[in-house]
Amino acid sequence: MVFLIVLAVFAFLFLLSTLIIYFFVFYTPVKNQNDVMRPMSGPNYAKYSKETNDLIKELLAKKCEMVYIKSRDGLKLEARYYESENKDTPIAICAHGYRGTSIRDFCGGSKLLSSLDMSLLLISERGCMGSEGHTVTFGVKEKNDILDWVEYVKKRKRENASIYLMGVSMGAHTVLTVASSLSGNNVRGIIADCPYTSSLSIIESVMAKKHFPHWLFYPLVKASSSIWGAFHLTREGAVESVRNTSIPILIIHGTKDNLVPYTMSEEIYNANKDIVKLVEVEGADHALSYMVDNKLYIESVKEFVSSTR
């Protein structure tokens, strides 16, 4: 009897721990329009807040078409489509970061891509802005969402359109993970800003920085994703996908990234040096390369698009 009570208490504490982890790590409330102005936290971001807000307001003022698809697990996903004046130009599909918004994360990138005469599809990841869902899966399920947005562009916009994929942080990881699945899908190039190597790798990295005991939190986090999020964290991700693709890739990463280690981009680059170009932005924190060295960022993207268009 005592054994059963102890077992029941252990099971309760285990489930409670995984539920708490789920809400802290994986759960994401559907964001509203006001969240697009919410800056990333930290002093390195505060110094660019005015410039960021000005770019966001500029993007919000542009006319767009709200478009939708249904995910493979039944969620209604939203995106903002900005048509270029020249309707025969490439279309860039842009994927934002963890619990982010496409308007904030691409306030600068969208301006750059538009200047290159591209139409833009700024997607809202599951559970963000107007997209349904409450679980962020670090790219595991978002990978299929990207593939479905590629098919949407081909079927609903232009069947023969040249397509570029661009992602920031989690979005960067996600667009890289689809690289090996895109043969014959019109994708001319992929731009990844501060990507991580895999869903498990980034969680392990964050746990280490916060000095969480690996032996305790690692199994709890994995169990949390499976029990409450209905997905499995994996070590397969950007490295394997990039190794098995011929699509040209540009990676941009700040050397002082305090969230996603720069070494992760080096690992991805080393997987396929023939098709990957790695640009390091000296001194840039996470997702700040565009702000820290705007000239290098713009020149790198322009050169990449020009060489692959």
Side-chain angles (χ1 to χ4, degrees):
M1 183 66 176
V2 174
F3 173 76
L4 292 177
I5 293 175
V6 171
L7 186 62
V9 170
F10 176 81
F12 172 78
L13 291 175
F14 174 78
L15 289 174
L16 179 61
S17 298
T18 59
L19 182 60
I20 291 172
I21 288 173
Y22 168 74
F23 276 105
F24 272 97
V25 180
F26 304 113
Y27 179 81
T28 176
V30 175
K31 295 188 167 52
N32 58 47
Q33 188 71 17
N34 294 328
D35 282 316
V36 302
M37 304 299 290
R38 175 178 52 84
M40 296 177 71
S41 60
N44 291 332
Y45 300 97
K47 69 176 69 174
Y48 298 105
S49 60
K50 184 182 184 304
E51 184 178 355
T52 300
N53 287 342
D54 289 344
L55 287 168
I56 289 173
K57 291 175 182 177
E58 184 179 339
L59 180 57
L60 286 172
K62 293 181 64 176
K63 182 180 178 181
C64 73
E65 175 191 1
M66 303 305 297
V67 298
Y68 304 88
I69 62 171
K70 188 73 85 173
S71 72
R72 301 181 190 188
D73 53 351
L75 300 177
K76 183 180 181 181
L77 304 179
E78 175 190 270
R80 305 167 73 93
Y81 182 69
Y82 297 84
E83 182 84 80
S84 171
E85 291 184 6
N86 182 355
K87 296 184 179 181
D88 293 327
T89 57
I91 298 175
I93 300 174
C94 302
H96 61 76
Y98 172 76
R99 288 175 173 166
T101 70
S102 59
I103 296 171
R104 185 196 68 188
D105 291 359
F106 286 96
C107 62
S110 64
K111 185 174 184 177
L112 169 56
L113 295 175
S114 293
S115 73
L116 298 177
D117 199 20
M118 288 190 183
S119 295
L120 307 177
L121 186 72
L122 304 187
I123 68 174
S124 292
E125 304 282 6
R126 48 181 59 218
C128 298
M129 295 296 289
S131 289
E132 293 179 344
H134 290 287
T135 302
V136 59
T137 72
F138 286 81
V140 175
K141 290 187 178 181
E142 289 84 358
K143 172 183 176 179
N144 288 331
D145 299 340
I146 294 291
L147 292 173
D148 291 342
W149 280 118
V150 170
E151 289 304 306
Y152 169 86
V153 166
K154 291 172 60 180
K155 293 177 181 177
R156 301 294 295 276
K157 294 303 176 183
R158 296 197 304 276
E159 182 178 356
N160 297 317
S162 295
I163 297 172
Y164 284 83
L165 303 180
M166 185 173 185
V168 175
S169 191
M170 189 187 83
H173 163 77
T174 306
V175 296
L176 290 176
T177 61
V178 304
S180 60
S181 305
L182 289 171
S183 177
N185 275 285
N186 305 2
V187 176
R188 305 299 298 272
I190 298 174
I191 303 168
D193 185 334
C194 56
Y196 51 81
T197 50
S198 72
S199 56
L200 270 178
S201 295
I202 188 58
I203 286 176
E204 286 180 323
S205 177
V206 171
M207 285 195 302
K209 286 180 180 179
K210 293 184 179 295
H211 305 291
F212 292 157
H214 189 275
W215 64 269
L216 175 62
F217 281 91
Y218 180 75
L220 288 175
V221 170
K222 287 195 69 176
S224 175
S225 67
S226 300
I227 295 170
W228 305 109
F231 76 99
H232 300 288
L233 294 166
T234 177
R235 292 201 184 280
E236 292 185 2
V239 175
E240 291 75 19
S241 178
V242 169
R243 183 178 292 124
N244 294 293
T245 188
S246 59
I247 297 173
I249 294 169
L250 170 65
I251 297 176
I252 304 174
H253 208 139
T255 59
K256 297 297 183 181
D257 194 318
N258 286 312
L259 182 61
V260 178
Y262 174 77
T263 53
M264 288 193 175
S265 279
E266 289 184 316
E267 186 177 347
I268 298 168
Y269 165 72
N270 288 328
N272 197 339
K273 293 182 180 180
D274 291 337
I275 58 102
V276 179
K277 179 178 181 180
L278 174 58
V279 175
E280 65 176 54
V281 180
E282 188 63 38
D285 200 347
H286 187 64
L288 276 179
S289 293
Y290 180 88
M291 298 296 184
V292 172
D293 197 336
N294 186 256
K295 181 180 179 181
L296 174 61
Y297 199 104
I298 291 174
E299 288 179 350
S300 299
V301 173
K302 282 186 174 181
E303 180 182 334
F304 177 75
V305 171
S306 176
S307 66
T308 55
R309 203 156 183 167

